[in-house]
Amino acid sequence: MKKGLILTLKILFSLGVILYLLLFKVDLGSLWKVLSKANPGLLFLSFSLHLFGLYLSALRWKVLIQCQEEAKTPSTNYLVGSYLVGGFFNLFLPTRFGGDIARVMDTREAAASTTRSFAIVAAERINGLAVLFLFALLASFPLLGSSPSPLALTGLLLGAGGLLCASLALSPLFPLLLRGLPLPKKLRSTAETVAGVVSSLWVFPRKMTLVTLFSLLLQFNVIVHYYFIGRAVGIALPLAPYFLFMPIVLVVLVLPVSINGIGLRELSMVEILKSFPALGNPYAPALAFSFVDLLFNIILGAIGGILFVSRKR
């Protein structure tokens, strides 16, 4: 009953934000004009980068699985398919990472246990987030003058704080810190096991270096992917600001208050584009940007749904 109520509230939040923007903030004629003039070549290029990102993600995941002595490493194609299946479940689950539970289940046999599989997926995500935080931190420095903008300060604080937390979560010190937390016995045991698996990955420094290199390339690819979406819908910004504000948007989408980030994505993009007055009214471009991003996720999620149904058959 409680879970059903929470899910209903998340759906209402997502629908409420979209309806509010469409009814009170966006001229539908302007929105249609932006969408109808979207550059198909740039959209195709952006979608292609999304596909390339899935391949890079699978390679990174594969290296982490290989760090487990008892693991049977799945093929890269299988891991790409698992990412697509996870994307299918993301369409219905809160946050952009909700579908990761499907990836955990897909590789629990390969990793020799569900807990190890969860730890590997968690390590992969945290490693990627650490790179995003690094991008936000570095991109904020040029904008920190005598009167830094709220966006630059947000990037600085999020980048520095997030990078510190992510580095700590991946370090061998994390299991020790967990012992001092007042956690229930069962939760403590699971958390310590997961943290132990994550910290043990550093026994393989070359593999972890490779994982980090994959994360750098992957997250650079992600930023460029969103840059091309922005250019396609007429957001006339250079590439550099995307390294500052897209990590902020992607972190906001992790908040479990909506379905697949719907609503959060639109609100965050509107507020961020307000930081660039030269762009004019931010509502139509922000919604167009979000709709294209959501459409790409739906297309890939649909492919993942077909793969999932085919497996069951």
Side-chain angles (χ1 to χ4, degrees):
M1 180 67 180
K2 185 178 179 180
K3 291 182 179 180
L5 176 61
I6 293 174
L7 177 61
T8 301
L9 291 174
K10 291 174 181 178
I11 293 173
L12 290 176
F13 173 83
S14 294
L15 291 177
V17 170
I18 297 300
L19 289 175
Y20 168 74
L21 291 174
L22 290 176
L23 293 176
F24 300 106
K25 292 295 183 179
V26 180
D27 176 11
L28 292 179
S30 299
L31 178 59
W32 171 247
K33 184 178 180 180
V34 171
L35 288 171
S36 63
K37 289 186 175 181
N39 187 311
L42 291 177
L43 290 177
F44 177 78
L45 181 57
S46 176
F47 187 74
S48 299
L49 289 176
H50 199 149
L51 293 175
F52 180 57
L54 287 176
Y55 181 72
L56 289 175
S57 298
L59 291 177
R60 180 181 63 179
W61 189 12
K62 187 174 183 178
V63 174
L64 284 170
I65 294 175
Q66 291 171 342
C67 291
Q68 305 302 304
E69 293 181 359
E70 301 176 8
K72 298 178 181 178
T73 308
S75 68
T76 303
N77 288 339
Y78 177 83
L79 296 178
V80 170
S82 184
Y83 254 104
L84 289 170
V85 171
F88 167 69
F89 286 104
N90 274 341
L91 297 177
F92 313 103
L93 294 173
T95 82
R96 293 288 289 267
F97 297 157
D100 279 358
I101 191 64
R103 298 203 293 125
V104 170
M105 301 308 290
D106 276 349
T107 53
R108 58 181 175 173
E109 292 184 8
S113 77
T114 303
T115 302
R116 285 180 177 274
S117 179
F118 176 82
I120 290 169
V121 171
E124 180 199 10
R125 286 299 192 185
I126 295 171
N127 189 275
L129 284 171
V131 171
L132 279 179
F133 292 137
L134 177 63
F135 285 170
L137 178 63
L138 295 178
S140 69
F141 287 152
L143 303 178
L144 296 174
S146 57
S147 180
S149 68
L151 182 61
L153 290 175
T154 301
L156 175 67
L157 295 175
L158 178 68
L163 185 59
L164 177 62
C165 292
S167 300
L168 182 61
L170 290 172
S171 76
L173 296 176
F174 194 58
L176 300 176
L177 294 176
L178 283 175
R179 296 174 186 174
L181 297 179
L183 299 174
K185 185 176 181 181
K186 186 175 181 179
L187 178 59
R188 176 189 298 278
S189 176
T190 302
E192 288 182 353
T193 301
V194 170
V197 172
V198 173
S199 62
S200 70
L201 296 172
W202 293 104
V203 176
F204 306 93
R206 290 185 179 179
K207 289 186 182 298
M208 289 305 294
T209 300
L210 182 59
V211 166
T212 303
L213 290 175
F214 275 134
S215 287
L216 285 166
L217 181 57
L218 171 63
Q219 301 298 14
F220 181 86
N221 180 79
V222 167
I223 300 298
V224 176
H225 154 75
Y226 283 116
Y227 166 73
F228 282 129
I229 291 179
R231 297 297 294 186
V233 299
I235 299 176
L237 287 175
L239 177 60
Y242 282 81
F243 285 92
L244 174 60
F245 68 73
M246 279 316 304
I248 298 174
V249 173
L250 294 173
V251 170
V252 168
L253 296 184
V254 176
L255 299 175
V257 299
S258 68
I259 299 298
N260 194 30
I262 298 173
L264 289 174
R265 180 192 293 104
E266 290 73 20
L267 286 177
S268 57
M269 281 302 300
V270 165
E271 292 304 315
I272 283 171
L273 292 185
K274 285 181 180 178
S275 302
F276 302 94
L279 296 178
N281 190 322
Y283 288 97
L287 272 181
F289 182 100
S290 299
F291 286 170
V292 170
D293 183 31
L294 180 60
L295 177 61
F296 285 172
N297 289 326
I298 290 174
I299 292 172
L300 294 175
I303 297 172
I306 294 171
L307 289 175
F308 179 71
V309 173
S310 300
R311 286 184 189 176
K312 292 302 179 182
R313 286 178 178 175

PDB file of all heavy atoms in Angstrom, residues 60-73 110-111 116 120 197-198 200-211:
ATOM      1  N   ARG A  60      33.626  -1.057 -19.782  1.00  0.00           N
ATOM      2  CA  ARG A  60      34.014  -0.707 -18.407  1.00  0.00           C
ATOM      3  C   ARG A  60      33.479  -1.743 -17.426  1.00  0.00           C
ATOM      4  O   ARG A  60      34.199  -2.187 -16.521  1.00  0.00           O
ATOM      5  CB  ARG A  60      33.466   0.684 -18.076  1.00  0.00           C
ATOM      6  CG  ARG A  60      33.799   1.168 -16.679  1.00  0.00           C
ATOM      7  CD  ARG A  60      33.213   2.532 -16.411  1.00  0.00           C
ATOM      8  NE  ARG A  60      31.754   2.526 -16.452  1.00  0.00           N
ATOM      9  CZ  ARG A  60      31.008   3.609 -16.234  1.00  0.00           C
ATOM     10  NH1 ARG A  60      31.582   4.767 -15.980  1.00  0.00           N
ATOM     11  NH2 ARG A  60      29.693   3.541 -16.273  1.00  0.00           N
ATOM     12  N   TRP A  61      32.232  -2.122 -17.587  1.00  0.00           N
ATOM     13  CA  TRP A  61      31.599  -3.112 -16.720  1.00  0.00           C
ATOM     14  C   TRP A  61      32.327  -4.454 -16.813  1.00  0.00           C
ATOM     15  O   TRP A  61      32.553  -5.136 -15.826  1.00  0.00           O
ATOM     16  CB  TRP A  61      30.141  -3.232 -17.137  1.00  0.00           C
ATOM     17  CG  TRP A  61      29.242  -4.040 -16.270  1.00  0.00           C
ATOM     18  CD1 TRP A  61      29.502  -4.521 -15.012  1.00  0.00           C
ATOM     19  CD2 TRP A  61      27.924  -4.455 -16.582  1.00  0.00           C
ATOM     20  NE1 TRP A  61      28.425  -5.219 -14.533  1.00  0.00           N
ATOM     21  CE2 TRP A  61      27.438  -5.193 -15.479  1.00  0.00           C
ATOM     22  CE3 TRP A  61      27.095  -4.284 -17.693  1.00  0.00           C
ATOM     23  CZ2 TRP A  61      26.155  -5.748 -15.459  1.00  0.00           C
ATOM     24  CZ3 TRP A  61      25.820  -4.825 -17.674  1.00  0.00           C
ATOM     25  CH2 TRP A  61      25.370  -5.554 -16.573  1.00  0.00           C
ATOM     26  N   LYS A  62      32.717  -4.810 -18.021  1.00  0.00           N
ATOM     27  CA  LYS A  62      33.389  -6.086 -18.258  1.00  0.00           C
ATOM     28  C   LYS A  62      34.726  -6.150 -17.528  1.00  0.00           C
ATOM     29  O   LYS A  62      35.074  -7.182 -16.934  1.00  0.00           O
ATOM     30  CB  LYS A  62      33.596  -6.278 -19.769  1.00  0.00           C
ATOM     31  CG  LYS A  62      34.132  -7.640 -20.175  1.00  0.00           C
ATOM     32  CD  LYS A  62      34.161  -7.753 -21.695  1.00  0.00           C
ATOM     33  CE  LYS A  62      34.612  -9.130 -22.141  1.00  0.00           C
ATOM     34  NZ  LYS A  62      34.590  -9.249 -23.630  1.00  0.00           N
ATOM     35  N   VAL A  63      35.472  -5.052 -17.537  1.00  0.00           N
ATOM     36  CA  VAL A  63      36.762  -5.024 -16.843  1.00  0.00           C
ATOM     37  C   VAL A  63      36.557  -5.209 -15.342  1.00  0.00           C
ATOM     38  O   VAL A  63      37.316  -5.929 -14.676  1.00  0.00           O
ATOM     39  CB  VAL A  63      37.501  -3.710 -17.137  1.00  0.00           C
ATOM     40  CG1 VAL A  63      38.770  -3.609 -16.289  1.00  0.00           C
ATOM     41  CG2 VAL A  63      37.864  -3.613 -18.611  1.00  0.00           C
ATOM     42  N   LEU A  64      35.526  -4.588 -14.788  1.00  0.00           N
ATOM     43  CA  LEU A  64      35.257  -4.723 -13.359  1.00  0.00           C
ATOM     44  C   LEU A  64      34.872  -6.158 -12.994  1.00  0.00           C
ATOM     45  O   LEU A  64      35.268  -6.670 -11.945  1.00  0.00           O
ATOM     46  CB  LEU A  64      34.146  -3.760 -12.943  1.00  0.00           C
ATOM     47  CG  LEU A  64      34.554  -2.294 -12.817  1.00  0.00           C
ATOM     48  CD1 LEU A  64      33.331  -1.409 -12.640  1.00  0.00           C
ATOM     49  CD2 LEU A  64      35.522  -2.101 -11.658  1.00  0.00           C
ATOM     50  N   ILE A  65      34.104  -6.804 -13.845  1.00  0.00           N
ATOM     51  CA  ILE A  65      33.743  -8.209 -13.600  1.00  0.00           C
ATOM     52  C   ILE A  65      34.996  -9.080 -13.613  1.00  0.00           C
ATOM     53  O   ILE A  65      35.136 -10.015 -12.808  1.00  0.00           O
ATOM     54  CB  ILE A  65      32.720  -8.701 -14.643  1.00  0.00           C
ATOM     55  CG1 ILE A  65      31.393  -7.953 -14.470  1.00  0.00           C
ATOM     56  CG2 ILE A  65      32.491 -10.209 -14.518  1.00  0.00           C
ATOM     57  CD1 ILE A  65      30.367  -8.279 -15.540  1.00  0.00           C
ATOM     58  N   GLN A  66      35.929  -8.773 -14.498  1.00  0.00           N
ATOM     59  CA  GLN A  66      37.165  -9.551 -14.593  1.00  0.00           C
ATOM     60  C   GLN A  66      38.037  -9.426 -13.345  1.00  0.00           C
ATOM     61  O   GLN A  66      38.938 -10.241 -13.148  1.00  0.00           O
ATOM     62  CB  GLN A  66      37.961  -9.105 -15.828  1.00  0.00           C
ATOM     63  CG  GLN A  66      37.312  -9.495 -17.147  1.00  0.00           C
ATOM     64  CD  GLN A  66      38.007  -8.865 -18.343  1.00  0.00           C
ATOM     65  OE1 GLN A  66      38.746  -7.894 -18.213  1.00  0.00           O
ATOM     66  NE2 GLN A  66      37.757  -9.417 -19.530  1.00  0.00           N
ATOM     67  N   CYS A  67      37.765  -8.424 -12.503  1.00  0.00           N
ATOM     68  CA  CYS A  67      38.519  -8.272 -11.260  1.00  0.00           C
ATOM     69  C   CYS A  67      38.115  -9.303 -10.209  1.00  0.00           C
ATOM     70  O   CYS A  67      38.801  -9.436  -9.193  1.00  0.00           O
ATOM     71  CB  CYS A  67      38.315  -6.867 -10.684  1.00  0.00           C
ATOM     72  SG  CYS A  67      39.063  -5.545 -11.658  1.00  0.00           S
ATOM     73  N   GLN A  68      37.015 -10.010 -10.426  1.00  0.00           N
ATOM     74  CA  GLN A  68      36.560 -11.036  -9.482  1.00  0.00           C
ATOM     75  C   GLN A  68      37.167 -12.389  -9.868  1.00  0.00           C
ATOM     76  O   GLN A  68      36.994 -12.847 -10.993  1.00  0.00           O
ATOM     77  CB  GLN A  68      35.040 -11.120  -9.478  1.00  0.00           C
ATOM     78  CG  GLN A  68      34.351  -9.788  -9.206  1.00  0.00           C
ATOM     79  CD  GLN A  68      34.779  -9.190  -7.893  1.00  0.00           C
ATOM     80  OE1 GLN A  68      34.667  -9.803  -6.841  1.00  0.00           O
ATOM     81  NE2 GLN A  68      35.285  -7.964  -7.949  1.00  0.00           N
ATOM     82  N   GLU A  69      37.851 -13.013  -8.935  1.00  0.00           N
ATOM     83  CA  GLU A  69      38.586 -14.239  -9.246  1.00  0.00           C
ATOM     84  C   GLU A  69      37.672 -15.368  -9.715  1.00  0.00           C
ATOM     85  O   GLU A  69      38.042 -16.160 -10.569  1.00  0.00           O
ATOM     86  CB  GLU A  69      39.373 -14.692  -8.013  1.00  0.00           C
ATOM     87  CG  GLU A  69      40.513 -13.744  -7.630  1.00  0.00           C
ATOM     88  CD  GLU A  69      41.279 -14.237  -6.430  1.00  0.00           C
ATOM     89  OE1 GLU A  69      40.906 -15.304  -5.902  1.00  0.00           O
ATOM     90  OE2 GLU A  69      42.246 -13.571  -6.020  1.00  0.00           O
ATOM     91  N   GLU A  70      36.473 -15.468  -9.143  1.00  0.00           N
ATOM     92  CA  GLU A  70      35.575 -16.556  -9.484  1.00  0.00           C
ATOM     93  C   GLU A  70      34.617 -16.191 -10.612  1.00  0.00           C
ATOM     94  O   GLU A  70      33.733 -16.975 -10.952  1.00  0.00           O
ATOM     95  CB  GLU A  70      34.760 -16.955  -8.245  1.00  0.00           C
ATOM     96  CG  GLU A  70      35.626 -17.403  -7.071  1.00  0.00           C
ATOM     97  CD  GLU A  70      34.789 -17.691  -5.840  1.00  0.00           C
ATOM     98  OE1 GLU A  70      33.543 -17.693  -5.971  1.00  0.00           O
ATOM     99  OE2 GLU A  70      35.362 -17.917  -4.772  1.00  0.00           O
ATOM    100  N   ALA A  71      34.794 -15.025 -11.189  1.00  0.00           N
ATOM    101  CA  ALA A  71      33.836 -14.552 -12.179  1.00  0.00           C
ATOM    102  C   ALA A  71      34.019 -15.248 -13.532  1.00  0.00           C
ATOM    103  O   ALA A  71      35.125 -15.611 -13.927  1.00  0.00           O
ATOM    104  CB  ALA A  71      33.977 -13.042 -12.362  1.00  0.00           C
ATOM    105  N   LYS A  72      32.905 -15.420 -14.213  1.00  0.00           N
ATOM    106  CA  LYS A  72      32.895 -15.877 -15.603  1.00  0.00           C
ATOM    107  C   LYS A  72      32.447 -14.682 -16.442  1.00  0.00           C
ATOM    108  O   LYS A  72      31.274 -14.313 -16.435  1.00  0.00           O
ATOM    109  CB  LYS A  72      31.938 -17.043 -15.774  1.00  0.00           C
ATOM    110  CG  LYS A  72      32.313 -18.277 -14.962  1.00  0.00           C
ATOM    111  CD  LYS A  72      31.287 -19.385 -15.147  1.00  0.00           C
ATOM    112  CE  LYS A  72      31.660 -20.606 -14.300  1.00  0.00           C
ATOM    113  NZ  LYS A  72      30.639 -21.692 -14.422  1.00  0.00           N
ATOM    114  N   THR A  73      33.380 -14.084 -17.152  1.00  0.00           N
ATOM    115  CA  THR A  73      33.110 -12.814 -17.818  1.00  0.00           C
ATOM    116  C   THR A  73      32.147 -12.975 -18.983  1.00  0.00           C
ATOM    117  O   THR A  73      32.429 -13.733 -19.926  1.00  0.00           O
ATOM    118  CB  THR A  73      34.415 -12.187 -18.335  1.00  0.00           C
ATOM    119  OG1 THR A  73      35.358 -12.139 -17.269  1.00  0.00           O
ATOM    120  CG2 THR A  73      34.159 -10.786 -18.856  1.00  0.00           C
ATOM    121  N   ALA A 110      27.628 -14.611 -13.150  1.00  0.00           N
ATOM    122  CA  ALA A 110      28.980 -14.331 -13.643  1.00  0.00           C
ATOM    123  C   ALA A 110      29.879 -13.832 -12.522  1.00  0.00           C
ATOM    124  O   ALA A 110      31.075 -14.156 -12.459  1.00  0.00           O
ATOM    125  CB  ALA A 110      28.921 -13.294 -14.763  1.00  0.00           C
ATOM    126  N   ALA A 111      29.304 -13.040 -11.593  1.00  0.00           N
ATOM    127  CA  ALA A 111      30.094 -12.485 -10.496  1.00  0.00           C
ATOM    128  C   ALA A 111      30.156 -13.412  -9.291  1.00  0.00           C
ATOM    129  O   ALA A 111      30.758 -13.062  -8.281  1.00  0.00           O
ATOM    130  CB  ALA A 111      29.511 -11.141 -10.073  1.00  0.00           C
ATOM    131  N   ARG A 116      28.127  -9.553  -4.928  1.00  0.00           N
ATOM    132  CA  ARG A 116      29.284  -9.131  -5.731  1.00  0.00           C
ATOM    133  C   ARG A 116      28.825  -8.404  -6.998  1.00  0.00           C
ATOM    134  O   ARG A 116      29.430  -7.405  -7.405  1.00  0.00           O
ATOM    135  CB  ARG A 116      30.133 -10.343  -6.097  1.00  0.00           C
ATOM    136  CG  ARG A 116      30.966 -10.890  -4.937  1.00  0.00           C
ATOM    137  CD  ARG A 116      31.780 -12.109  -5.381  1.00  0.00           C
ATOM    138  NE  ARG A 116      32.626 -12.584  -4.315  1.00  0.00           N
ATOM    139  CZ  ARG A 116      33.837 -12.109  -4.054  1.00  0.00           C
ATOM    140  NH1 ARG A 116      34.337 -11.145  -4.809  1.00  0.00           N
ATOM    141  NH2 ARG A 116      34.552 -12.588  -3.060  1.00  0.00           N
ATOM    142  N   ILE A 120      29.808  -4.578  -7.983  1.00  0.00           N
ATOM    143  CA  ILE A 120      30.468  -4.222  -9.245  1.00  0.00           C
ATOM    144  C   ILE A 120      29.697  -3.121  -9.954  1.00  0.00           C
ATOM    145  O   ILE A 120      30.276  -2.140 -10.441  1.00  0.00           O
ATOM    146  CB  ILE A 120      30.606  -5.463 -10.144  1.00  0.00           C
ATOM    147  CG1 ILE A 120      31.632  -6.426  -9.543  1.00  0.00           C
ATOM    148  CG2 ILE A 120      31.022  -5.065 -11.555  1.00  0.00           C
ATOM    149  CD1 ILE A 120      31.649  -7.778 -10.213  1.00  0.00           C
ATOM    150  N   VAL A 197      34.019  -5.642  -1.302  1.00  0.00           N
ATOM    151  CA  VAL A 197      34.218  -6.031  -2.702  1.00  0.00           C
ATOM    152  C   VAL A 197      34.716  -4.841  -3.513  1.00  0.00           C
ATOM    153  O   VAL A 197      35.642  -4.961  -4.325  1.00  0.00           O
ATOM    154  CB  VAL A 197      32.909  -6.583  -3.313  1.00  0.00           C
ATOM    155  CG1 VAL A 197      33.076  -6.810  -4.813  1.00  0.00           C
ATOM    156  CG2 VAL A 197      32.505  -7.885  -2.634  1.00  0.00           C
ATOM    157  N   VAL A 198      34.100  -3.674  -3.296  1.00  0.00           N
ATOM    158  CA  VAL A 198      34.498  -2.471  -4.033  1.00  0.00           C
ATOM    159  C   VAL A 198      35.948  -2.104  -3.734  1.00  0.00           C
ATOM    160  O   VAL A 198      36.743  -1.834  -4.645  1.00  0.00           O
ATOM    161  CB  VAL A 198      33.557  -1.299  -3.693  1.00  0.00           C
ATOM    162  CG1 VAL A 198      34.078  -0.005  -4.318  1.00  0.00           C
ATOM    163  CG2 VAL A 198      32.145  -1.575  -4.193  1.00  0.00           C
ATOM    164  N   SER A 200      38.286  -3.990  -2.682  1.00  0.00           N
ATOM    165  CA  SER A 200      39.219  -5.024  -3.132  1.00  0.00           C
ATOM    166  C   SER A 200      39.588  -4.871  -4.609  1.00  0.00           C
ATOM    167  O   SER A 200      40.555  -5.479  -5.075  1.00  0.00           O
ATOM    168  CB  SER A 200      38.627  -6.417  -2.896  1.00  0.00           C
ATOM    169  OG  SER A 200      37.537  -6.666  -3.773  1.00  0.00           O
ATOM    170  N   LEU A 201      38.808  -4.072  -5.341  1.00  0.00           N
ATOM    171  CA  LEU A 201      39.105  -3.874  -6.761  1.00  0.00           C
ATOM    172  C   LEU A 201      40.477  -3.240  -6.970  1.00  0.00           C
ATOM    173  O   LEU A 201      41.096  -3.408  -8.024  1.00  0.00           O
ATOM    174  CB  LEU A 201      38.019  -2.993  -7.405  1.00  0.00           C
ATOM    175  CG  LEU A 201      36.604  -3.586  -7.443  1.00  0.00           C
ATOM    176  CD1 LEU A 201      35.607  -2.535  -7.919  1.00  0.00           C
ATOM    177  CD2 LEU A 201      36.546  -4.807  -8.347  1.00  0.00           C
ATOM    178  N   TRP A 202      40.961  -2.503  -5.961  1.00  0.00           N
ATOM    179  CA  TRP A 202      42.243  -1.816  -6.104  1.00  0.00           C
ATOM    180  C   TRP A 202      43.428  -2.771  -6.024  1.00  0.00           C
ATOM    181  O   TRP A 202      44.584  -2.352  -6.182  1.00  0.00           O
ATOM    182  CB  TRP A 202      42.363  -0.728  -5.049  1.00  0.00           C
ATOM    183  CG  TRP A 202      41.362   0.356  -5.292  1.00  0.00           C
ATOM    184  CD1 TRP A 202      40.199   0.580  -4.616  1.00  0.00           C
ATOM    185  CD2 TRP A 202      41.411   1.349  -6.323  1.00  0.00           C
ATOM    186  NE1 TRP A 202      39.519   1.645  -5.154  1.00  0.00           N
ATOM    187  CE2 TRP A 202      40.245   2.138  -6.200  1.00  0.00           C
ATOM    188  CE3 TRP A 202      42.322   1.655  -7.334  1.00  0.00           C
ATOM    189  CZ2 TRP A 202      39.970   3.199  -7.059  1.00  0.00           C
ATOM    190  CZ3 TRP A 202      42.049   2.708  -8.177  1.00  0.00           C
ATOM    191  CH2 TRP A 202      40.887   3.463  -8.037  1.00  0.00           C
ATOM    192  N   VAL A 203      43.141  -4.062  -5.787  1.00  0.00           N
ATOM    193  CA  VAL A 203      44.203  -5.070  -5.894  1.00  0.00           C
ATOM    194  C   VAL A 203      44.663  -5.186  -7.346  1.00  0.00           C
ATOM    195  O   VAL A 203      45.756  -5.672  -7.632  1.00  0.00           O
ATOM    196  CB  VAL A 203      43.699  -6.431  -5.364  1.00  0.00           C
ATOM    197  CG1 VAL A 203      44.735  -7.522  -5.558  1.00  0.00           C
ATOM    198  CG2 VAL A 203      43.314  -6.308  -3.892  1.00  0.00           C
ATOM    199  N   PHE A 204      43.819  -4.695  -8.267  1.00  0.00           N
ATOM    200  CA  PHE A 204      44.110  -4.745  -9.699  1.00  0.00           C
ATOM    201  C   PHE A 204      44.268  -3.307 -10.214  1.00  0.00           C
ATOM    202  O   PHE A 204      43.367  -2.770 -10.865  1.00  0.00           O
ATOM    203  CB  PHE A 204      42.978  -5.453 -10.449  1.00  0.00           C
ATOM    204  CG  PHE A 204      42.657  -6.817  -9.922  1.00  0.00           C
ATOM    205  CD1 PHE A 204      41.659  -6.985  -8.956  1.00  0.00           C
ATOM    206  CD2 PHE A 204      43.338  -7.935 -10.372  1.00  0.00           C
ATOM    207  CE1 PHE A 204      41.354  -8.242  -8.465  1.00  0.00           C
ATOM    208  CE2 PHE A 204      43.039  -9.188  -9.885  1.00  0.00           C
ATOM    209  CZ  PHE A 204      42.050  -9.348  -8.922  1.00  0.00           C
ATOM    210  N   PRO A 205      45.388  -2.646  -9.908  1.00  0.00           N
ATOM    211  CA  PRO A 205      45.543  -1.226 -10.269  1.00  0.00           C
ATOM    212  C   PRO A 205      45.472  -0.970 -11.770  1.00  0.00           C
ATOM    213  O   PRO A 205      44.946   0.068 -12.200  1.00  0.00           O
ATOM    214  CB  PRO A 205      46.912  -0.858  -9.697  1.00  0.00           C
ATOM    215  CG  PRO A 205      47.629  -2.160  -9.509  1.00  0.00           C
ATOM    216  CD  PRO A 205      46.569  -3.167  -9.207  1.00  0.00           C
ATOM    217  N   ARG A 206      46.003  -1.893 -12.573  1.00  0.00           N
ATOM    218  CA  ARG A 206      45.953  -1.680 -14.024  1.00  0.00           C
ATOM    219  C   ARG A 206      44.525  -1.718 -14.531  1.00  0.00           C
ATOM    220  O   ARG A 206      44.124  -0.892 -15.366  1.00  0.00           O
ATOM    221  CB  ARG A 206      46.803  -2.743 -14.732  1.00  0.00           C
ATOM    222  CG  ARG A 206      48.307  -2.574 -14.524  1.00  0.00           C
ATOM    223  CD  ARG A 206      49.089  -3.585 -15.351  1.00  0.00           C
ATOM    224  NE  ARG A 206      50.528  -3.421 -15.167  1.00  0.00           N
ATOM    225  CZ  ARG A 206      51.441  -4.175 -15.760  1.00  0.00           C
ATOM    226  NH1 ARG A 206      51.066  -5.153 -16.596  1.00  0.00           N
ATOM    227  NH2 ARG A 206      52.726  -3.955 -15.545  1.00  0.00           N
ATOM    228  N   LYS A 207      43.748  -2.668 -14.029  1.00  0.00           N
ATOM    229  CA  LYS A 207      42.351  -2.768 -14.462  1.00  0.00           C
ATOM    230  C   LYS A 207      41.555  -1.550 -13.990  1.00  0.00           C
ATOM    231  O   LYS A 207      40.717  -1.020 -14.726  1.00  0.00           O
ATOM    232  CB  LYS A 207      41.717  -4.060 -13.931  1.00  0.00           C
ATOM    233  CG  LYS A 207      42.222  -5.326 -14.608  1.00  0.00           C
ATOM    234  CD  LYS A 207      41.449  -6.536 -14.135  1.00  0.00           C
ATOM    235  CE  LYS A 207      41.986  -7.828 -14.764  1.00  0.00           C
ATOM    236  NZ  LYS A 207      41.851  -7.838 -16.223  1.00  0.00           N
ATOM    237  N   MET A 208      41.812  -1.083 -12.766  1.00  0.00           N
ATOM    238  CA  MET A 208      41.091   0.077 -12.265  1.00  0.00           C
ATOM    239  C   MET A 208      41.496   1.346 -13.017  1.00  0.00           C
ATOM    240  O   MET A 208      40.671   2.240 -13.231  1.00  0.00           O
ATOM    241  CB  MET A 208      41.343   0.238 -10.767  1.00  0.00           C
ATOM    242  CG  MET A 208      40.648  -0.830  -9.921  1.00  0.00           C
ATOM    243  SD  MET A 208      38.872  -0.925 -10.222  1.00  0.00           S
ATOM    244  CE  MET A 208      38.337   0.662  -9.597  1.00  0.00           C
ATOM    245  N   THR A 209      42.750   1.405 -13.428  1.00  0.00           N
ATOM    246  CA  THR A 209      43.172   2.533 -14.267  1.00  0.00           C
ATOM    247  C   THR A 209      42.437   2.495 -15.601  1.00  0.00           C
ATOM    248  O   THR A 209      41.980   3.535 -16.105  1.00  0.00           O
ATOM    249  CB  THR A 209      44.691   2.482 -14.510  1.00  0.00           C
ATOM    250  OG1 THR A 209      45.369   2.554 -13.258  1.00  0.00           O
ATOM    251  CG2 THR A 209      45.139   3.634 -15.403  1.00  0.00           C
ATOM    252  N   LEU A 210      42.302   1.300 -16.163  1.00  0.00           N
ATOM    253  CA  LEU A 210      41.569   1.151 -17.422  1.00  0.00           C
ATOM    254  C   LEU A 210      40.103   1.525 -17.243  1.00  0.00           C
ATOM    255  O   LEU A 210      39.513   2.189 -18.113  1.00  0.00           O
ATOM    256  CB  LEU A 210      41.692  -0.296 -17.917  1.00  0.00           C
ATOM    257  CG  LEU A 210      41.011  -0.635 -19.253  1.00  0.00           C
ATOM    258  CD1 LEU A 210      41.577   0.243 -20.375  1.00  0.00           C
ATOM    259  CD2 LEU A 210      41.196  -2.111 -19.592  1.00  0.00           C
ATOM    260  N   VAL A 211      39.508   1.111 -16.122  1.00  0.00           N
ATOM    261  CA  VAL A 211      38.117   1.466 -15.834  1.00  0.00           C
ATOM    262  C   VAL A 211      37.958   2.979 -15.782  1.00  0.00           C
ATOM    263  O   VAL A 211      37.010   3.552 -16.338  1.00  0.00           O
ATOM    264  CB  VAL A 211      37.667   0.823 -14.496  1.00  0.00           C
ATOM    265  CG1 VAL A 211      36.358   1.447 -14.002  1.00  0.00           C
ATOM    266  CG2 VAL A 211      37.489  -0.670 -14.659  1.00  0.00           C
TER     267      VAL A 211
END
